[in-house]
Amino acid sequence: SVVIIHGSPDGYTPANSPLYSQKNVSDILNEFDYVVYLSKANFKSWTKKLVSNSNHFIISNSIEEDEVQSILNYDKNYYYSSLNFKEDNFNVVIPGSVIYVKGQDLIINNIEKILALIPNIHIHFIGGIRGEWATNLLDYVMNSKYINCMTFHGFVNNSLEFIYAADLILLPSRAEGQPLAVLEAMALGKVVVTTNYEGIEEVIDNEKSGFIIDLDNFDDLILDVLYQIYTNNEQKALIESEAKIKYIKDFSIAKQKEKIIILINEITRN
């Protein structure tokens, strides 16, 4: 029997996961013959104290590469009108459900300082509004003086178009497994700025194929990184190129198929 665990232990703290505890999940994992983790760091954190099962494989998330390619057939400006993007804005997309663990509040709390550096920034949140925390956050923005520089689009079925049209993809998460949005953005050749959650160093080479921000120093670092990307088009273009190269080399479907074949051969031998 095989189970795939998508989240890290940090995602199962009381604040982040009211339904499942770390012990609940580790007990489930220990019932299976093989456990598939999304990253080496993910494997280490689960097995450090919680999971005794030693039969494991590391297989990354996979994205819909055909859909990515269809998006790439057009220039990003092609999508501006349908997405209500303005060309003279610095458009930042934050993908993911609006929930505490995704950290959208970290950006909203810093919006005044961000606007002082990047007055034409517009932040697009794409993801469902889930629960009281998210509703309160949305109400705060809608009744604030910053309403004109932020848009909550809710759940969308064309997230790849938003990612491709953006100048920057931002994930201020408090915990993650391995976000599909990061892989999608890299495959589309976009700059990703995200926090130092477990396993992200295996995906992004900091300051080469994207940016990783220390969550403990988020308020200071996010301003520096955003302004750096906003003002340095040469560096931005170089990182966009490196992101796509990194995706193809380490995270493409072809690469993951090789790992799956190894897993199947291991299971059939036993």
Side-chain angles (χ1 to χ4, degrees), residues 88-92 110-123 149 167-168 170 222-232:
D88 57 350
N89 281 343
F90 186 71
N91 291 291
V92 174
N110 283 284
I111 191 61
E112 187 168 355
K113 294 177 182 178
I114 293 171
L115 282 169
L117 292 174
I118 310 173
N120 64 328
I121 196 170
H122 195 99
I123 300 175
C149 67
D167 295 294
L168 171 72
L170 180 57
I222 188 62
L223 300 175
D224 292 339
V225 170
L226 288 179
Y227 190 70
Q228 186 176 338
I229 299 166
Y230 177 67
T231 56
N232 193 333

Side-chain angles (χ1 to χ4, degrees), residues 157-169:
N157 56 16
N158 60 337
S159 60
L160 288 178
E161 294 179 10
F162 278 89
I163 291 172
Y164 185 49
D167 295 294
L168 171 72
I169 307 303

